[in-house]
PDB file of all heavy atoms in Angstrom:
ATOM      1  N   GLY A   1      17.181-116.408  80.248  1.00  0.00           N
ATOM      2  CA  GLY A   1      16.429-115.579  79.320  1.00  0.00           C
ATOM      3  C   GLY A   1      15.985-116.370  78.104  1.00  0.00           C
ATOM      4  O   GLY A   1      16.402-117.512  77.882  1.00  0.00           O
ATOM      5  N   ALA A   2      15.145-115.750  77.302  1.00  0.00           N
ATOM      6  CA  ALA A   2      14.685-116.342  76.046  1.00  0.00           C
ATOM      7  C   ALA A   2      15.206-115.501  74.887  1.00  0.00           C
ATOM      8  O   ALA A   2      15.387-114.279  75.024  1.00  0.00           O
ATOM      9  CB  ALA A   2      13.158-116.389  76.000  1.00  0.00           C
ATOM     10  N   ALA A   3      15.444-116.146  73.765  1.00  0.00           N
ATOM     11  CA  ALA A   3      15.952-115.425  72.598  1.00  0.00           C
ATOM     12  C   ALA A   3      15.017-114.289  72.191  1.00  0.00           C
ATOM     13  O   ALA A   3      15.468-113.227  71.753  1.00  0.00           O
ATOM     14  CB  ALA A   3      16.144-116.395  71.432  1.00  0.00           C
ATOM     15  N   SER A   4      13.725-114.497  72.372  1.00  0.00           N
ATOM     16  CA  SER A   4      12.760-113.456  72.011  1.00  0.00           C
ATOM     17  C   SER A   4      12.928-112.201  72.866  1.00  0.00           C
ATOM     18  O   SER A   4      12.641-111.085  72.408  1.00  0.00           O
ATOM     19  CB  SER A   4      11.334-113.990  72.156  1.00  0.00           C
ATOM     20  OG  SER A   4      11.082-114.402  73.494  1.00  0.00           O
ATOM     21  N   GLU A   5      13.408-112.370  74.102  1.00  0.00           N
ATOM     22  CA  GLU A   5      13.616-111.213  74.972  1.00  0.00           C
ATOM     23  C   GLU A   5      14.806-110.381  74.504  1.00  0.00           C
ATOM     24  O   GLU A   5      14.797-109.150  74.608  1.00  0.00           O
ATOM     25  CB  GLU A   5      13.810-111.677  76.412  1.00  0.00           C
ATOM     26  CG  GLU A   5      12.543-112.289  77.009  1.00  0.00           C
ATOM     27  CD  GLU A   5      12.739-112.830  78.411  1.00  0.00           C
ATOM     28  OE1 GLU A   5      13.592-113.735  78.576  1.00  0.00           O
ATOM     29  OE2 GLU A   5      12.055-112.348  79.332  1.00  0.00           O
ATOM     30  N   ILE A   6      15.825-111.046  73.989  1.00  0.00           N
ATOM     31  CA  ILE A   6      16.961-110.319  73.428  1.00  0.00           C
ATOM     32  C   ILE A   6      16.538-109.619  72.136  1.00  0.00           C
ATOM     33  O   ILE A   6      16.926-108.484  71.867  1.00  0.00           O
ATOM     34  CB  ILE A   6      18.145-111.267  73.158  1.00  0.00           C
ATOM     35  CG1 ILE A   6      18.462-112.091  74.410  1.00  0.00           C
ATOM     36  CG2 ILE A   6      19.358-110.476  72.700  1.00  0.00           C
ATOM     37  CD1 ILE A   6      18.731-111.280  75.654  1.00  0.00           C
ATOM     38  N   ALA A   7      15.715-110.287  71.353  1.00  0.00           N
ATOM     39  CA  ALA A   7      15.220-109.692  70.105  1.00  0.00           C
ATOM     40  C   ALA A   7      14.441-108.410  70.380  1.00  0.00           C
ATOM     41  O   ALA A   7      14.490-107.457  69.583  1.00  0.00           O
ATOM     42  CB  ALA A   7      14.347-110.696  69.355  1.00  0.00           C
ATOM     43  N   GLY A   8      13.726-108.370  71.501  1.00  0.00           N
ATOM     44  CA  GLY A   8      12.997-107.158  71.863  1.00  0.00           C
ATOM     45  C   GLY A   8      13.927-105.982  72.106  1.00  0.00           C
ATOM     46  O   GLY A   8      13.627-104.841  71.735  1.00  0.00           O
ATOM     47  N   VAL A   9      15.080-106.261  72.727  1.00  0.00           N
ATOM     48  CA  VAL A   9      16.067-105.207  72.961  1.00  0.00           C
ATOM     49  C   VAL A   9      16.659-104.746  71.623  1.00  0.00           C
ATOM     50  O   VAL A   9      16.846-103.547  71.390  1.00  0.00           O
ATOM     51  CB  VAL A   9      17.180-105.689  73.911  1.00  0.00           C
ATOM     52  CG1 VAL A   9      18.237-104.613  74.091  1.00  0.00           C
ATOM     53  CG2 VAL A   9      16.593-106.091  75.260  1.00  0.00           C
ATOM     54  N   VAL A  10      16.956-105.692  70.741  1.00  0.00           N
ATOM     55  CA  VAL A  10      17.503-105.347  69.422  1.00  0.00           C
ATOM     56  C   VAL A  10      16.518-104.458  68.658  1.00  0.00           C
ATOM     57  O   VAL A  10      16.909-103.440  68.070  1.00  0.00           O
ATOM     58  CB  VAL A  10      17.819-106.623  68.618  1.00  0.00           C
ATOM     59  CG1 VAL A  10      18.176-106.279  67.173  1.00  0.00           C
ATOM     60  CG2 VAL A  10      18.959-107.397  69.276  1.00  0.00           C
ATOM     61  N   ALA A  11      15.251-104.829  68.688  1.00  0.00           N
ATOM     62  CA  ALA A  11      14.241-104.034  67.987  1.00  0.00           C
ATOM     63  C   ALA A  11      14.178-102.613  68.557  1.00  0.00           C
ATOM     64  O   ALA A  11      14.060-101.634  67.803  1.00  0.00           O
ATOM     65  CB  ALA A  11      12.874-104.713  68.098  1.00  0.00           C
ATOM     66  N   PHE A  12      14.290-102.495  69.862  1.00  0.00           N
ATOM     67  CA  PHE A  12      14.309-101.179  70.493  1.00  0.00           C
ATOM     68  C   PHE A  12      15.518-100.370  70.027  1.00  0.00           C
ATOM     69  O   PHE A  12      15.395 -99.194  69.661  1.00  0.00           O
ATOM     70  CB  PHE A  12      14.340-101.352  72.014  1.00  0.00           C
ATOM     71  CG  PHE A  12      14.710-100.104  72.776  1.00  0.00           C
ATOM     72  CD1 PHE A  12      13.838 -99.033  72.841  1.00  0.00           C
ATOM     73  CD2 PHE A  12      15.932-100.009  73.417  1.00  0.00           C
ATOM     74  CE1 PHE A  12      14.184 -97.874  73.540  1.00  0.00           C
ATOM     75  CE2 PHE A  12      16.288 -98.860  74.120  1.00  0.00           C
ATOM     76  CZ  PHE A  12      15.409 -97.789  74.186  1.00  0.00           C
ATOM     77  N   LEU A  13      16.695-100.989  70.009  1.00  0.00           N
ATOM     78  CA  LEU A  13      17.913-100.277  69.629  1.00  0.00           C
ATOM     79  C   LEU A  13      17.896 -99.837  68.167  1.00  0.00           C
ATOM     80  O   LEU A  13      18.461 -98.791  67.821  1.00  0.00           O
ATOM     81  CB  LEU A  13      19.139-101.153  69.896  1.00  0.00           C
ATOM     82  CG  LEU A  13      19.450-101.431  71.368  1.00  0.00           C
ATOM     83  CD1 LEU A  13      20.615-102.397  71.487  1.00  0.00           C
ATOM     84  CD2 LEU A  13      19.744-100.140  72.126  1.00  0.00           C
ATOM     85  N   LEU A  14      17.272-100.633  67.310  1.00  0.00           N
ATOM     86  CA  LEU A  14      17.211-100.275  65.893  1.00  0.00           C
ATOM     87  C   LEU A  14      16.102 -99.272  65.585  1.00  0.00           C
ATOM     88  O   LEU A  14      16.136 -98.613  64.542  1.00  0.00           O
ATOM     89  CB  LEU A  14      17.023-101.526  65.043  1.00  0.00           C
ATOM     90  CG  LEU A  14      18.206-102.495  64.984  1.00  0.00           C
ATOM     91  CD1 LEU A  14      17.866-103.703  64.099  1.00  0.00           C
ATOM     92  CD2 LEU A  14      19.466-101.805  64.466  1.00  0.00           C
ATOM     93  N   SER A  15      15.154 -99.148  66.485  1.00  0.00           N
ATOM     94  CA  SER A  15      14.013 -98.272  66.240  1.00  0.00           C
ATOM     95  C   SER A  15      14.309 -96.846  66.682  1.00  0.00           C
ATOM     96  O   SER A  15      15.291 -96.565  67.374  1.00  0.00           O
ATOM     97  CB  SER A  15      12.786 -98.787  66.994  1.00  0.00           C
ATOM     98  OG  SER A  15      12.884 -98.473  68.387  1.00  0.00           O
ATOM     99  N   GLU A  16      13.419 -95.943  66.325  1.00  0.00           N
ATOM    100  CA  GLU A  16      13.554 -94.550  66.758  1.00  0.00           C
ATOM    101  C   GLU A  16      13.151 -94.368  68.213  1.00  0.00           C
ATOM    102  O   GLU A  16      13.289 -93.267  68.765  1.00  0.00           O
ATOM    103  CB  GLU A  16      12.731 -93.644  65.846  1.00  0.00           C
ATOM    104  CG  GLU A  16      13.323 -93.523  64.444  1.00  0.00           C
ATOM    105  CD  GLU A  16      14.807 -93.143  64.487  1.00  0.00           C
ATOM    106  OE1 GLU A  16      15.126 -92.065  65.025  1.00  0.00           O
ATOM    107  OE2 GLU A  16      15.645 -93.938  63.988  1.00  0.00           O
ATOM    108  N   ASP A  17      12.681 -95.408  68.871  1.00  0.00           N
ATOM    109  CA  ASP A  17      12.415 -95.338  70.307  1.00  0.00           C
ATOM    110  C   ASP A  17      13.704 -95.137  71.092  1.00  0.00           C
ATOM    111  O   ASP A  17      13.671 -94.707  72.248  1.00  0.00           O
ATOM    112  CB  ASP A  17      11.711 -96.608  70.795  1.00  0.00           C
ATOM    113  CG  ASP A  17      10.298 -96.719  70.258  1.00  0.00           C
ATOM    114  OD1 ASP A  17       9.691 -95.671  69.960  1.00  0.00           O
ATOM    115  OD2 ASP A  17       9.797 -97.853  70.129  1.00  0.00           O
ATOM    116  N   SER A  18      14.835 -95.463  70.483  1.00  0.00           N
ATOM    117  CA  SER A  18      16.141 -95.287  71.139  1.00  0.00           C
ATOM    118  C   SER A  18      16.937 -94.169  70.469  1.00  0.00           C
ATOM    119  O   SER A  18      18.164 -94.202  70.439  1.00  0.00           O
ATOM    120  CB  SER A  18      16.943 -96.597  71.078  1.00  0.00           C
ATOM    121  OG  SER A  18      17.215 -96.962  69.734  1.00  0.00           O
ATOM    122  N   SER A  19      16.239 -93.171  69.959  1.00  0.00           N
ATOM    123  CA  SER A  19      16.856 -92.174  69.075  1.00  0.00           C
ATOM    124  C   SER A  19      17.965 -91.344  69.717  1.00  0.00           C
ATOM    125  O   SER A  19      18.760 -90.728  69.001  1.00  0.00           O
ATOM    126  CB  SER A  19      15.784 -91.238  68.509  1.00  0.00           C
ATOM    127  OG  SER A  19      15.084 -90.588  69.568  1.00  0.00           O
ATOM    128  N   TYR A  20      18.034 -91.303  71.052  1.00  0.00           N
ATOM    129  CA  TYR A  20      19.102 -90.536  71.696  1.00  0.00           C
ATOM    130  C   TYR A  20      20.142 -91.447  72.341  1.00  0.00           C
ATOM    131  O   TYR A  20      20.864 -91.052  73.247  1.00  0.00           O
ATOM    132  CB  TYR A  20      18.516 -89.569  72.741  1.00  0.00           C
ATOM    133  CG  TYR A  20      19.447 -88.435  73.102  1.00  0.00           C
ATOM    134  CD1 TYR A  20      19.999 -87.625  72.110  1.00  0.00           C
ATOM    135  CD2 TYR A  20      19.762 -88.168  74.431  1.00  0.00           C
ATOM    136  CE1 TYR A  20      20.849 -86.581  72.428  1.00  0.00           C
ATOM    137  CE2 TYR A  20      20.615 -87.122  74.762  1.00  0.00           C
ATOM    138  CZ  TYR A  20      21.155 -86.331  73.770  1.00  0.00           C
ATOM    139  OH  TYR A  20      22.010 -85.295  74.101  1.00  0.00           O
ATOM    140  N   MET A  21      20.259 -92.650  71.831  1.00  0.00           N
ATOM    141  CA  MET A  21      21.240 -93.604  72.336  1.00  0.00           C
ATOM    142  C   MET A  21      22.286 -93.880  71.266  1.00  0.00           C
ATOM    143  O   MET A  21      21.955 -94.127  70.110  1.00  0.00           O
ATOM    144  CB  MET A  21      20.575 -94.924  72.739  1.00  0.00           C
ATOM    145  CG  MET A  21      19.692 -94.819  73.963  1.00  0.00           C
ATOM    146  SD  MET A  21      18.875 -96.391  74.354  1.00  0.00           S
ATOM    147  CE  MET A  21      20.311 -97.403  74.754  1.00  0.00           C
ATOM    148  N   ALA A  22      23.551 -93.835  71.667  1.00  0.00           N
ATOM    149  CA  ALA A  22      24.655 -94.164  70.763  1.00  0.00           C
ATOM    150  C   ALA A  22      25.811 -94.706  71.585  1.00  0.00           C
ATOM    151  O   ALA A  22      26.135 -94.177  72.650  1.00  0.00           O
ATOM    152  CB  ALA A  22      25.105 -92.941  69.977  1.00  0.00           C
ATOM    153  N   GLY A  23      26.405 -95.788  71.098  1.00  0.00           N
ATOM    154  CA  GLY A  23      27.557 -96.365  71.766  1.00  0.00           C
ATOM    155  C   GLY A  23      27.249 -97.076  73.068  1.00  0.00           C
ATOM    156  O   GLY A  23      28.154 -97.376  73.843  1.00  0.00           O
ATOM    157  N   GLN A  24      25.980 -97.379  73.298  1.00  0.00           N
ATOM    158  CA  GLN A  24      25.592 -98.041  74.545  1.00  0.00           C
ATOM    159  C   GLN A  24      25.569 -99.559  74.372  1.00  0.00           C
ATOM    160  O   GLN A  24      25.231-100.071  73.304  1.00  0.00           O
ATOM    161  CB  GLN A  24      24.215 -97.553  74.998  1.00  0.00           C
ATOM    162  CG  GLN A  24      24.168 -96.066  75.262  1.00  0.00           C
ATOM    163  CD  GLN A  24      25.223 -95.631  76.266  1.00  0.00           C
ATOM    164  OE1 GLN A  24      25.231 -96.091  77.407  1.00  0.00           O
ATOM    165  NE2 GLN A  24      26.114 -94.747  75.841  1.00  0.00           N
ATOM    166  N   VAL A  25      25.920-100.261  75.428  1.00  0.00           N
ATOM    167  CA  VAL A  25      25.831-101.718  75.447  1.00  0.00           C
ATOM    168  C   VAL A  25      24.824-102.079  76.530  1.00  0.00           C
ATOM    169  O   VAL A  25      25.102-101.934  77.728  1.00  0.00           O
ATOM    170  CB  VAL A  25      27.195-102.364  75.721  1.00  0.00           C
ATOM    171  CG1 VAL A  25      27.070-103.882  75.724  1.00  0.00           C
ATOM    172  CG2 VAL A  25      28.221-101.924  74.681  1.00  0.00           C
ATOM    173  N   VAL A  26      23.647-102.489  76.107  1.00  0.00           N
ATOM    174  CA  VAL A  26      22.539-102.716  77.019  1.00  0.00           C
ATOM    175  C   VAL A  26      22.569-104.151  77.522  1.00  0.00           C
ATOM    176  O   VAL A  26      22.471-105.097  76.735  1.00  0.00           O
ATOM    177  CB  VAL A  26      21.191-102.438  76.321  1.00  0.00           C
ATOM    178  CG1 VAL A  26      20.034-102.665  77.281  1.00  0.00           C
ATOM    179  CG2 VAL A  26      21.159-101.008  75.781  1.00  0.00           C
ATOM    180  N   SER A  27      22.701-104.322  78.817  1.00  0.00           N
ATOM    181  CA  SER A  27      22.712-105.663  79.404  1.00  0.00           C
ATOM    182  C   SER A  27      21.296-106.216  79.459  1.00  0.00           C
ATOM    183  O   SER A  27      20.369-105.546  79.934  1.00  0.00           O
ATOM    184  CB  SER A  27      23.294-105.630  80.815  1.00  0.00           C
ATOM    185  OG  SER A  27      24.659-105.300  80.793  1.00  0.00           O
ATOM    186  N   ALA A  28      21.132-107.425  78.949  1.00  0.00           N
ATOM    187  CA  ALA A  28      19.868-108.155  79.037  1.00  0.00           C
ATOM    188  C   ALA A  28      20.219-109.514  79.621  1.00  0.00           C
ATOM    189  O   ALA A  28      20.378-110.500  78.902  1.00  0.00           O
ATOM    190  CB  ALA A  28      19.218-108.279  77.669  1.00  0.00           C
ATOM    191  N   ASP A  29      20.415-109.541  80.939  1.00  0.00           N
ATOM    192  CA  ASP A  29      21.053-110.697  81.582  1.00  0.00           C
ATOM    193  C   ASP A  29      20.386-111.126  82.886  1.00  0.00           C
ATOM    194  O   ASP A  29      21.007-111.783  83.722  1.00  0.00           O
ATOM    195  CB  ASP A  29      22.531-110.387  81.847  1.00  0.00           C
ATOM    196  CG  ASP A  29      22.721-109.158  82.744  1.00  0.00           C
ATOM    197  OD1 ASP A  29      21.719-108.648  83.291  1.00  0.00           O
ATOM    198  OD2 ASP A  29      23.874-108.706  82.898  1.00  0.00           O
ATOM    199  N   GLY A  30      19.142-110.710  83.069  1.00  0.00           N
ATOM    200  CA  GLY A  30      18.455-111.066  84.305  1.00  0.00           C
ATOM    201  C   GLY A  30      19.017-110.362  85.518  1.00  0.00           C
ATOM    202  O   GLY A  30      18.712-110.723  86.657  1.00  0.00           O
ATOM    203  N   GLY A  31      19.847-109.362  85.293  1.00  0.00           N
ATOM    204  CA  GLY A  31      20.467-108.629  86.387  1.00  0.00           C
ATOM    205  C   GLY A  31      21.811-109.172  86.822  1.00  0.00           C
ATOM    206  O   GLY A  31      22.382-108.712  87.812  1.00  0.00           O
ATOM    207  N   ALA A  32      22.362-110.122  86.082  1.00  0.00           N
ATOM    208  CA  ALA A  32      23.591-110.802  86.505  1.00  0.00           C
ATOM    209  C   ALA A  32      24.742-109.834  86.753  1.00  0.00           C
ATOM    210  O   ALA A  32      25.502-109.994  87.712  1.00  0.00           O
ATOM    211  CB  ALA A  32      24.003-111.835  85.454  1.00  0.00           C
TER     212      ALA A  32
END
């Protein structure tokens, strides 16, 4: 992966696009 791809997930989690998510750990690992 690239650091920018992880940053995209962080931006999603901090934004209101993820407004109904709490306590989740989102894997960004190429499916590993």
Side-chain angles (χ1 to χ4, degrees):
S4 60
E5 293 177 300
I6 308 305
V9 177
V10 171
F12 165 70
L13 292 175
L14 291 180
S15 77
E16 290 309 300
D17 291 333
S18 63
S19 58
Y20 200 53
M21 291 178 65
Q24 299 305 300
V25 180
V26 180
S27 293
D29 59 9

